[in-house]
Amino acid sequence: MSPANPLIIQSDLTILVEVDSPRYEEARICLGRFAELEKMPEHIHTYRLTALSVWNANASGFGVDELLASLESLAKYPLPSAVAPLLRETASRFGAVRLVRTGGEERLRLMVLRPGLADEFARLPDVARHLGARS
């Protein structure tokens, strides 16, 4: 954390980036690994951390600890207290559900690897109607 750093991280996972900061280019490259660019007005660019952007970072080998360390090293102010737990929870879901085609079947099978998650899916009406028998 330093007043010269370019990032202002908000509790809604929005990241404001000060373009005039000496570390702007470093921040832009870093954020490209795990955040989505939303707006680019002249002086402050807006990025957002989403479930998809965090999962994509995980898939490319950029874990949540590295993501949080990057945010902290580029942050102007301390991270809001809700950010780290929210990102850790989001990252923990990575790989918990997979769609797989089994044995030449035309259909896909939903494989749930996290205990209790199948029950959560079964309680969602829009999902439950597509689920067959559990194995």
Side-chain angles (χ1 to χ4, degrees), residues 50-130:
T50 65
L52 182 59
S53 70
V54 172
W55 293 339
N56 285 339
N58 263 312
S60 69
F62 197 83
V64 70
D65 290 332
E66 191 174 2
L67 187 156
L68 287 166
S70 296
L71 290 176
E72 288 171 349
S73 75
L74 292 164
K76 183 180 283 290
Y77 308 109
L79 269 59
S81 60
V83 169
L86 186 55
L87 291 177
R88 287 188 192 289
E89 170 59 26
T90 300
S92 75
R93 295 186 215 145
F94 178 74
V97 176
R98 297 181 192 264
L99 281 175
V100 295
R101 192 177 309 272
T102 57
E105 292 180 20
E106 297 271 330
R107 298 179 345 186
L108 294 173
R109 181 174 300 264
L110 181 68
M111 296 188 70
V112 180
L113 306 173
R114 193 166 108 188
L117 197 52
D119 294 332
E120 288 183 43
F121 285 134
R123 286 192 295 269
L124 298 170
D126 289 340
V127 175
R129 64 188 171 101
H130 297 288

Side-chain angles (χ1 to χ4, degrees), residues 2 15 19-20 25 33 35-36 48 75 85 89 110 124 130 133:
S2 166
I15 302 170
V19 175
D20 296 331
E25 190 61 26
R33 297 185 73 185
E36 297 176 10
R48 182 170 305 275
E89 170 59 26
L110 181 68
L124 298 170
H130 297 288

Side-chain angles (χ1 to χ4, degrees), residues 2-55:
S2 166
N5 283 347
L7 301 187
I8 300 169
I9 297 107
Q10 300 180 320
S11 58
D12 68 352
L13 302 182
T14 300
I15 302 170
L16 305 176
V17 185
E18 294 178 344
V19 175
D20 296 331
S21 168
R23 296 185 70 193
Y24 167 75
E25 190 61 26
E26 176 187 356
R28 186 188 65 77
I29 291 167
C30 185
L31 289 172
R33 297 185 73 185
F34 57 79
E36 297 176 10
L37 177 62
E38 289 192 328
K39 301 178 208 167
M40 289 179 55
E42 191 173 337
H43 298 288
I44 300 211
H45 294 177
T46 304
Y47 287 77
R48 182 170 305 275
L49 292 163
T50 65
L52 182 59
S53 70
V54 172
W55 293 339

